Amino acid sequence: MDSLPVSSIESLVIEIKKEMFSNQEFNTFVTPISAYDTAWLAMISYNNQEEAINGHSFSGPMFKSCLNWILNNQNEQGFWGESNGENLPTIYALTATLACMIALKKWNVGETNIKKGLKFIHANTEILLKENSQQFPRWFIIVFPAMVQLSKSVGLEIIFVNGSERLLSDVAMKRKVILESEKLMDVTAGHDQPLLAYLESLPNYVLNQKDQILKHLSEDGSLFQSPSATAQAFMATGNQKSLEYLMSIVHKCPNGVPSMFPVDEELTKLCIVDHIQRMGLANHFNKEIEQILGQVYKNQMNNQNEYLSEISTLSERLYKDSLAFRLLRLQGYKINEGSFCWFVHQPQIRAYIEKNQERFTYVMYNVYRATDLMFKGESEMEEVRSFARYFLERSMKLVNNEGSLLLLPTLQKVIKHELNVPWVARLEHLDHRLWIELSQSLPLSIGKSADYWLSCLHNDKLLKLAVQNYEFRQSVYRTELEELKSWSKEKGLVDIGFGREKTTYSYFASAASSSSFLPFDSLLRLVVAKCSIVITVADDYYDEEASLSDLQILTDAVQRWDGSNLDGPSKIIFDALDDLVCDVAKLYHLRHAIDITPELRHQWQETFLAWMMESTWSNNVAMPSRNQYLEIGMISIGAHILVLHAASLENPSLPREKLRPINGQYENITKLLMATTRLLNDIQSYQKECEVGKMNYTLLHMNENPGAQLDDSIEFVKEILANKKKEFLENVLMDGFNDMPKKCKLLHLSCLNVFHMFFNSCNLFDTKAAILEDIMRAIYVPLQEQTSVPPLKTSPILTPQEKKKKKKKIENIPTKVSACLNGKNFKHQVGIGISFVGSKAPKNNPFGWYTKGFASQKLSSCFI
């Protein structure tokens, strides 16, 4: 392992810990600077109060540090404020640049800065207005014309050409409609903030209503926690509490102020924990994460009866509750679904949420993510998940079709990804990459937006660490993959002459599903990959290559664990298997001085027996019952081999007695994994298995219930599967169900992730090109070569009508079921599984895979 990248990563981690998690520096480290709000504080004078200094009168900026920030933080292109991931200005830069120039002009400083700013405004206004003309944000409509008017009033020579003038007039007309149709304090109008929150941009007749302004100040003297609005409120009223509020901001944020203050520090910390985890950095901050979540849990237990005091704080409260629920449950805390589902039985609140689409889109995205962690019997969460999904689907429709809702492109991407690919069907290493790439495009500030919390995640040091961490993992993965390829070739698995040599795919799935909890130098990835390669090759041998007599010979040899009478493919398979088992047993013996060879062999022996039984069923008239089939199918899927071989080498290791069935039964968490993965296979592959005469739980149910339709059998299996997954998830996350070490339980979950990914109806790997692309992104392509956010590979969200059409494509299956199950001669399957439509094998393939077929029915058990 290269010590230089490790040293760089460790140094950066120490630096971030010191800056981010110290109480003194936390706010300044995570709070984004708003050039617009900083400019408004820079405009404040000593309120016409002169101070005598050495006998001379002095009047100047009250917050000189804000003015200095403007002078020293102009972009090279001439603007202040938000830029995108490519350092190009966004529409926010127009208002921020005007505000900064106004502040400089007021104090007759920064002549060069003003010239550069004017040059930017004249060159870019028309471009930026055209880019956003179909969906001007509400805040921009309110603020921009006011800033233009104020700029001209202080003597700035703002010149707009014809195109800009026309677009500005359009914005001004929209502003006029808003000002005439909305009341100052209407918080139910379906927007992020009432008009009064934009006080600095409202007409003079509003500023003259001092009583109205003072009436709506918060206890801390702020106006909607907005520094810019409060600055104007102070200049209009001279309110002392407002001044104290502004002074407290500058004291805590001396190098530029945020667009909201104060922020809920606990919520900010939850956001940071979530951000760290999603970038794949949790291993570096385990202690800090546990301290934060431990305190959050303690606070939640102390405030269980707290109720919502103001409807205006609903979005923040619901966001915090849902985020806390997800993070605490992932950490193993016992937290009730009611901690964030409380709103679902309150019609008034539900109606308010539905009316305020813009304000609650990011909130409901997080509510939906929280429902990923549903346990069996949590019916409230089922209802919340349906509500949140409907809300998000409607949001995307408003963005894409009607154009009446404006969302950040980053937020649009993550919502589409969330709706199309379930959390349990994603590989975390690729998820980490996606979040890092999206984080690179997060705006530096989002102003007075419901998405404000996204801007808190923009931190250059964390982003730098995430990139270094990801790319170092890639270097480790490349080295391990080369080692694995050498092993496969040495054992003859590459040139065995049939089936799928899946070295690269096996390693890819093993590494990409466990990056958050396995260290850089873990042996477990290679163990899982080797197990999956052997399972893949042996599975193909039983499915498509050998006669029943040859299969029986190999099965008997494995039962004796003696391959001396074998030759050809059987000999290659047995020798590779023996080498793998010996290696794992030796490593365990070195640590514990205990020989687990019998336990490891037993896992393979029962699996080979299960494959033999399935081959016998496929070649004879005899048909098993559903229970008989599932008992064998749970073993033949091979999931237990993958997790138990790897778990034996984890630290702390799985005890010897956990490596084989006790009284014929594995631990419940392992049994649930085995059953779930088998049902996942069968619920997705019934059509193809029917066509080739293979056994399948869905088809067996239909055969045992002659009056049932195919849809009935599918729904029957789906319900079983859903309940088992919920029970499995509870076994993984909560203590008390088993005494397995946490990492062993996470290995079980990562195994389910891989199975679920391949059998997800919207899986990412519908083509050879798609799987090749993700292998490249996971192992080979550096993040630093990514210059823009890639399009997400998502399937369209199906409407009920589209789902109905999709069902029609399989309506002919019921007529075939009986013949398939009762045929006298079940054929061996050849190259079946997920089909990769319309794509040829890549030329000059660097991975050396066998291109005949990418998947068998036991695809998921092979981690391919």
Side-chain angles (χ1 to χ4, degrees):
M1 184 180 296
D2 193 337
S3 61
L4 289 178
V6 174
S7 175
S8 175
I9 290 170
E10 289 175 347
S11 297
L12 200 50
V13 168
I14 292 171
E15 187 178 339
I16 291 172
K17 284 183 177 182
K18 182 179 179 181
E19 294 184 6
M20 177 175 284
F21 295 103
S22 67
N23 291 331
Q24 295 78 15
E25 302 293 336
F26 181 79
N27 279 327
T28 57
F29 190 81
V30 302
T31 305
I33 295 172
S34 165
Y36 177 79
D37 290 83
T38 302
W40 272 98
L41 266 71
M43 295 180 206
I44 301 175
S45 69
Y46 278 97
N47 203 27
N48 297 320
Q49 297 176 14
E50 296 183 348
E51 289 189 0
I53 301 178
N54 296 326
H56 298 283
S57 296
F58 174 78
S59 179
M62 182 173 288
F63 301 112
K64 194 170 182 178
S65 64
C66 292
L67 188 63
N68 289 336
W69 184 92
I70 295 171
L71 288 167
N72 297 317
N73 286 276
Q74 186 176 25
N75 188 285
E76 290 182 2
Q77 299 174 54
F79 68 89
W80 286 269
E82 179 188 307
S83 60
N84 62 18
E86 298 176 357
N87 200 32
L88 297 175
T90 68
I91 196 171
Y92 179 82
L94 293 178
T95 54
T97 300
L98 289 173
C100 288
M101 290 193 297
I102 291 167
L104 295 176
K105 185 71 173 177
K106 177 171 183 176
W107 302 113
N108 293 316
V109 295
E111 183 178 349
T112 302
N113 301 78
I114 292 175
K115 286 180 179 178
K116 288 175 66 177
L118 287 172
K119 186 177 179 180
F120 167 80
I121 291 292
H122 296 152
N124 293 276
T125 298
E126 183 175 3
I127 296 171
L128 290 171
L129 291 180
K130 280 184 177 179
E131 286 179 356
N132 295 272
S133 60
Q134 298 302 312
Q135 290 181 316
F136 285 123
R138 176 174 174 271
W139 67 264
F140 182 80
I141 293 171
I142 298 170
V143 171
F144 182 61
M147 290 298 99
V148 172
Q149 186 177 0
L150 186 57
S151 298
K152 292 179 177 180
S153 71
V154 299
L156 290 171
E157 297 181 7
I158 305 294
I159 301 171
F160 294 116
V161 296
N162 292 337
S164 299
E165 191 70 40
R166 180 181 55 80
L167 289 165
L168 176 60
S169 296
D170 182 42
V171 177
M173 285 301 297
K174 293 178 185 292
R175 179 175 185 265
K176 186 172 183 291
V177 171
I178 290 175
L179 295 180
E180 291 177 353
S181 62
E182 293 184 21
K183 296 179 181 179
L184 284 179
M185 278 303 299
D186 187 358
V187 296
T188 63
H191 304 298
D192 289 344
Q193 298 279 8
L195 273 177
L196 197 59
Y198 302 91
L199 178 64
E200 77 281 2
S201 301
L202 298 183
N204 287 333
Y205 71 82
V206 177
L207 299 180
N208 293 330
Q209 299 179 37
K210 295 183 180 182
D211 291 342
Q212 278 291 316
I213 296 172
L214 292 171
K215 177 182 175 182
H216 292 101
L217 291 177
S218 300
E219 288 186 8
D220 62 2
S222 74
L223 194 62
F224 296 94
Q225 285 73 52
S226 167
S228 54
T230 308
Q232 183 64 285
F234 170 66
M235 287 189 283
T237 67
N239 182 266
Q240 187 64 28
K241 291 196 71 175
S242 295
L243 175 60
E244 291 171 2
Y245 166 82
L246 295 170
M247 294 180 71
S248 71
I249 301 176
V250 176
H251 176 72
K252 292 185 178 180
C253 305
N255 299 312
V257 305
S259 60
M260 289 182 65
F261 188 91
V263 296
D264 184 328
E265 187 169 311
E266 186 171 270
L267 175 53
T268 307
K269 288 181 178 180
L270 287 170
C271 290
I272 293 299
V273 170
D274 184 54
H275 189 45
I276 286 172
Q277 290 181 347
R278 297 184 77 173
M279 289 198 295
L281 299 175
N283 263 348
H284 299 296
F285 301 96
N286 283 326
K287 180 181 177 182
E288 290 77 13
I289 289 172
E290 181 54 48
Q291 286 177 344
I292 289 172
L293 295 183
Q295 186 60 51
V296 170
Y297 182 72
K298 182 179 178 181
N299 294 343
Q300 288 231 345
M301 294 301 100
N302 292 336
N303 300 319
Q304 291 185 69
N305 298 320
E306 186 181 278
Y307 61 92
L308 186 69
S309 57
E310 293 184 30
I311 195 75
S312 61
T313 64
L314 174 60
S315 59
E316 185 172 306
R317 165 75 184 276
L318 188 51
Y319 174 39
K320 181 177 180 179
D321 287 349
S322 58
L323 188 57
F325 174 87
R326 181 182 175 89
L327 294 174
L328 290 172
R329 181 161 279 194
L330 279 173
Q331 199 76 359
Y333 287 95
K334 292 183 178 179
I335 183 165
N336 190 278
E337 60 179 329
S339 66
F340 80 101
C341 295
W342 47 265
F343 73 94
V344 77
H345 298 306
Q346 300 186 44
Q348 181 184 3
I349 290 180
R350 286 183 62 154
Y352 178 77
I353 291 172
E354 289 182 285
K355 185 176 181 181
N356 289 266
Q357 202 80 23
E358 181 181 347
R359 186 172 192 173
F360 282 93
T361 297
Y362 187 56
V363 174
M364 297 313 295
Y365 162 70
N366 281 278
V367 168
Y368 187 76
R369 289 180 66 227
T371 63
D372 288 334
L373 307 180
M374 195 185 310
F375 295 160
K376 192 174 179 180
E378 292 184 323
S379 56
E380 270 191 346
M381 218 186 302
E382 291 273 14
E383 188 175 351
V384 167
R385 186 172 181 84
S386 297
F387 177 81
R389 185 175 183 90
Y390 168 77
F391 183 99
L392 294 173
E393 288 174 347
R394 182 166 176 264
S395 293
M396 300 314 297
K397 182 180 178 182
L398 291 173
V399 169
N400 297 326
N401 299 336
E402 301 176 19
S404 58
L405 179 65
L406 182 71
L407 295 179
L408 290 169
T410 298
L411 183 54
Q412 293 180 44
K413 288 182 174 69
V414 295
I415 290 174
K416 288 178 183 177
H417 189 50
E418 192 71 35
L419 293 177
N420 281 281
V421 187
W423 168 73
V424 75
R426 302 202 291 260
L427 301 185
E428 58 182 16
H429 184 57
L430 287 172
D431 250 19
H432 295 158
R433 180 176 186 126
L434 172 64
W435 191 249
I436 293 168
E437 290 169 344
L438 293 177
S439 297
Q440 291 171 328
S441 69
L442 283 173
L444 295 174
S445 178
I446 308 174
K448 303 170 187 181
S449 165
D451 305 327
Y452 170 79
W453 295 103
L454 276 171
S455 65
C456 291
L457 305 181
H458 193 110
N459 183 273
D460 289 337
K461 288 185 180 179
L462 265 181
L463 197 55
K464 181 181 178 181
L465 175 62
V467 171
Q468 288 187 11
N469 185 76
Y470 189 91
E471 292 183 351
F472 182 65
R473 279 196 174 276
Q474 286 182 310
S475 70
V476 173
Y477 293 167
R478 288 193 293 272
T479 300
E480 291 182 351
L481 179 53
E482 290 306 310
E483 180 183 337
L484 188 65
K485 287 180 181 178
S486 297
W487 179 84
S488 292
K489 190 167 184 63
E490 177 189 332
K491 298 306 169 187
L493 299 171
V494 174
D495 305 313
I496 199 168
F498 66 87
R500 306 147 295 139
E501 192 284 300
K502 280 292 183 280
T503 302
T504 299
Y505 293 164
S506 296
Y507 180 79
F508 158 68
S510 172
S513 63
S514 58
S515 60
S516 70
F517 62 91
L518 291 185
F520 293 132
D521 57 349
S522 175
L523 290 170
L524 273 63
R525 291 185 292 269
L526 287 172
V527 170
V528 171
K530 287 181 179 181
C531 288
S532 65
I533 293 168
V534 173
I535 290 173
T536 305
V537 176
D539 172 44
D540 285 344
Y541 189 63
Y542 275 79
D543 268 355
E544 62 186 68
E545 183 66 19
S547 64
L548 270 182
S549 59
D550 288 338
L551 295 179
Q552 190 64 61
I553 291 171
L554 175 57
T555 304
D556 292 342
V558 173
Q559 304 314 301
R560 300 191 312 271
W561 211 266
D562 179 4
S564 59
N565 67 327
L566 300 176
D567 57 22
S570 294
K571 179 67 171 173
I572 293 173
I573 292 170
F574 181 85
D575 287 350
L577 174 59
D578 185 50
D579 178 81
L580 171 59
V581 169
C582 286
D583 280 351
V584 175
K586 285 177 183 177
L587 287 169
Y588 193 93
H589 190 271
L590 284 173
R591 292 182 182 179
H592 307 286
I594 297 173
D595 183 16
I596 60 169
T597 302
E599 285 73 20
L600 299 179
R601 287 180 176 178
H602 174 81
Q603 294 173 27
W604 289 100
Q605 287 165 339
E606 66 176 354
T607 302
F608 274 75
L609 281 174
W611 289 338
M612 188 68 218
M613 179 61 72
E614 289 180 339
S615 295
T616 302
W617 286 338
S618 296
N619 281 272
N620 297 318
V621 177
M623 184 164 48
S625 66
R626 279 187 292 120
N627 289 338
Q628 290 172 324
Y629 166 79
L630 189 57
E631 185 178 349
I632 294 298
M634 286 170 59
I635 297 172
S636 69
I637 201 73
H640 63 305
I641 290 178
L642 299 168
V643 294
L644 294 180
H645 274 54
S648 69
L649 300 180
E650 187 46 77
N651 186 19
S653 300
L654 200 62
R656 178 181 184 181
E657 60 270 16
K658 303 286 187 183
L659 295 176
R660 69 183 301 160
I662 299 175
N663 298 322
Q665 299 290 323
Y666 284 103
E667 282 271 7
N668 193 45
I669 187 174
T670 306
K671 283 172 54 185
L672 287 166
L673 175 66
M674 295 162 73
T676 303
T677 49
R678 167 49 62 192
L679 293 176
L680 275 169
N681 174 87
D682 288 10
I683 209 169
Q684 291 293 334
S685 60
Y686 55 81
Q687 182 175 8
K688 196 171 289 291
E689 290 180 330
C690 174
E691 292 170 356
V692 300
K694 293 281 293 182
M695 294 295 167
N696 181 289
Y697 194 84
T698 305
L699 302 179
L700 287 170
H701 174 268
M702 191 172 178
N703 187 68
E704 292 180 5
N705 297 272
Q709 298 296 314
L710 179 61
D711 285 351
D712 299 328
S713 294
I714 293 172
E715 289 304 315
F716 174 80
V717 180
K718 279 185 176 179
E719 186 174 351
I720 296 175
L721 178 59
N723 286 328
K724 286 192 176 297
K725 281 196 294 185
K726 292 172 187 174
E727 186 181 353
F728 171 77
L729 193 59
E730 190 170 11
N731 273 256
V732 170
L733 298 178
M734 297 292 109
D735 292 332
F737 292 93
N738 54 72
D739 55 0
M740 277 191 178
K742 183 176 181 179
K743 284 188 179 179
C744 293
K745 295 193 286 187
L746 292 177
L747 277 169
H748 282 69
L749 180 58
S750 71
C751 186
L752 180 64
N753 291 149
V754 174
F755 278 71
H756 219 302
M757 174 200 52
F758 282 110
F759 291 123
N760 176 40
S761 59
C762 300
N763 74 73
L764 302 180
F765 299 143
D766 292 330
T767 65
K768 293 178 183 178
I771 192 170
L772 172 60
E773 180 187 345
D774 275 345
I775 289 172
M776 294 296 292
R777 284 164 56 78
I779 302 175
Y780 292 98
V781 180
L783 272 162
Q784 291 173 346
E785 289 186 10
Q786 187 82 31
T787 57
S788 61
V789 179
L792 294 178
K793 292 174 291 183
T794 58
S795 302
I797 302 170
L798 299 180
T799 64
Q801 292 77 14
E802 290 169 331
K803 290 177 181 177
K804 193 173 182 181
K805 288 180 182 178
K806 190 174 181 182
K807 285 184 179 180
K808 288 183 179 179
K809 294 180 181 180
I810 57 171
E811 62 185 3
N812 61 330
I813 292 179
T815 61
K816 300 179 181 179
V817 171
S818 180
C820 290
L821 292 174
N822 294 297
K824 292 183 178 180
N825 184 30
F826 288 97
K827 297 178 181 179
H828 277 295
Q829 169 191 355
V830 181
I832 66 172
I834 292 180
S835 61
F836 295 82
V837 182
S839 177
K840 296 180 180 179
K843 294 181 179 179
N844 303 319
N845 190 329
F847 303 115
W849 56 59
Y850 187 73
T851 58
K852 182 180 77 174
F854 278 95
S856 77
Q857 290 305 316
K858 301 180 190 70
L859 170 68
S860 53
S861 71
C862 306
F863 270 11
I864 68 173

